Amino acid sequence: QKEVEQNSGPLSVPEGAIASLNCTYSDRGSQSFFWYRQYSGKSPELIMFIYSNGDKEDGRFTAQLNKASQYVSLLIRDSQPSDSATYLCAVESGANNLFFGTGTRLTVIP
Amino acid sequence: DAGITQSPRHKVTETGTPVTLRCHQTENHRYMYWYRQDPGHGLRLIHYSYGVKDTDKGEVSDGYSVSRSKTEDFLLTLESATSSQTSVYFCAISDLSGGANGYTFGSGTRLTVV
């Protein structure tokens, strides 16, 4: 059973702070890793993907991958109230689909 | 959710009745997926398709069947609905195997079985 683990939160940060979201996965063969954002009552939307060890930056978002530790994280700099959502970590399973974590709920306090 | 639509958006049905949910895409993507999302469980794969008439089971496929007769349509059928199938159902599409570029999700169908 492939597993993707996330802290369910809620994680609360003040506006302007850095939010750090973490994810671990069990399948050492996984090659692709994704972060989705899901607002309440809405569908998940892709915000970042990463394939290689290290950091990948896109605007205020940075994804970090450490395959040796089977760990992927998402940093959100200068957090805004509009970033308040549930963040889903997803890991490619090697069998034509993605496995999702249960998500971390983030609240950015104005 | 441009390019992918789900219908209906909401449905209430009675236990024991068959229910069909539809996913329609205009992106010409090869891969299509049905997930259900429940509190505490996250998104779990029900079935997926890797081409017309090519489908396979996911981790929670019992009680569900699918069909894909055209590239653009992927149907999910609950053979005989049960209360445990009350959930939010999401369809997703991908142009690459394994979702290597990630998925695009539809808006979801909220199904209540009473």
Side-chain angles (χ1 to χ4, degrees), chain A residues 26-47:
Chain A
S26 63
D27 183 4
R28 283 195 171 274
S30 296
Q31 297 295 319
S32 306
F33 307 86
F34 305 86
W35 283 99
Y36 286 81
R37 178 177 63 201
Q38 186 174 25
Y39 293 112
S40 180
K42 301 296 185 182
S43 59
E45 56 178 326
L46 181 66
I47 54 172

Side-chain angles (χ1 to χ4, degrees), chain A residues 34 36 38 43-44 51 96-98, chain B residues 33 35 37 97 99-100 103 106:
Chain A
F34 305 86
Y36 286 81
Q38 186 174 25
S43 59
Y51 305 142
N96 288 320
N97 66 79
L98 301 182
Chain B
Y33 309 82
Y35 281 83
Q37 188 173 37
S97 173
Y103 294 168

Side-chain angles (χ1 to χ4, degrees), chain A residues 19-108:
Chain A
S20 177
L21 305 163
N22 305 314
C23 173
T24 59
Y25 60 95
S26 63
D27 183 4
R28 283 195 171 274
S30 296
Q31 297 295 319
S32 306
F33 307 86
F34 305 86
W35 283 99
Y36 286 81
R37 178 177 63 201
Q38 186 174 25
Y39 293 112
S40 180
K42 301 296 185 182
S43 59
E45 56 178 326
L46 181 66
I47 54 172
M48 290 284 291
F49 61 88
I50 186 167
Y51 305 142
S52 303
N53 278 329
D55 295 358
K56 179 182 179 182
E57 187 174 318
D58 184 1
R60 296 187 295 112
F61 298 97
T62 298
Q64 300 174 317
L65 175 61
N66 183 325
K67 290 184 179 179
S69 299
Q70 295 175 246
Y71 176 92
V72 59
S73 65
L74 179 70
L75 301 179
I76 306 175
R77 291 182 301 281
D78 188 24
S79 296
Q80 301 298 309
S82 59
D83 295 325
S84 297
T86 297
Y87 289 81
L88 307 175
C89 173
V91 175
E92 167 268 331
S93 76
N96 288 320
N97 66 79
L98 301 182
F99 274 87
F100 287 81
T102 54
T104 298
R105 186 154 56 93
L106 172 67
T107 300
V108 180

Side-chain angles (χ1 to χ4, degrees), chain B residues 2-21:
Chain B
I4 177 171
T5 56
Q6 291 184 234
S7 59
R9 291 295 310 275
H10 302 273
K11 185 171 182 66
V12 179
T13 192
E14 293 186 349
T15 299
T17 61
V19 177
T20 295
L21 309 182

Side-chain angles (χ1 to χ4, degrees), chain B residues 82-113:
Chain B
T82 68
S83 58
S84 65
Q85 293 176 312
T86 292
S87 186
V88 179
Y89 291 86
F90 286 104
C91 176
I93 61 174
S94 173
D95 57 348
L96 294 179
S97 173
N101 275 352
Y103 294 168
T104 299
F105 283 88
S107 299
T109 294
R110 184 173 295 276
L111 177 68
T112 302
V113 183

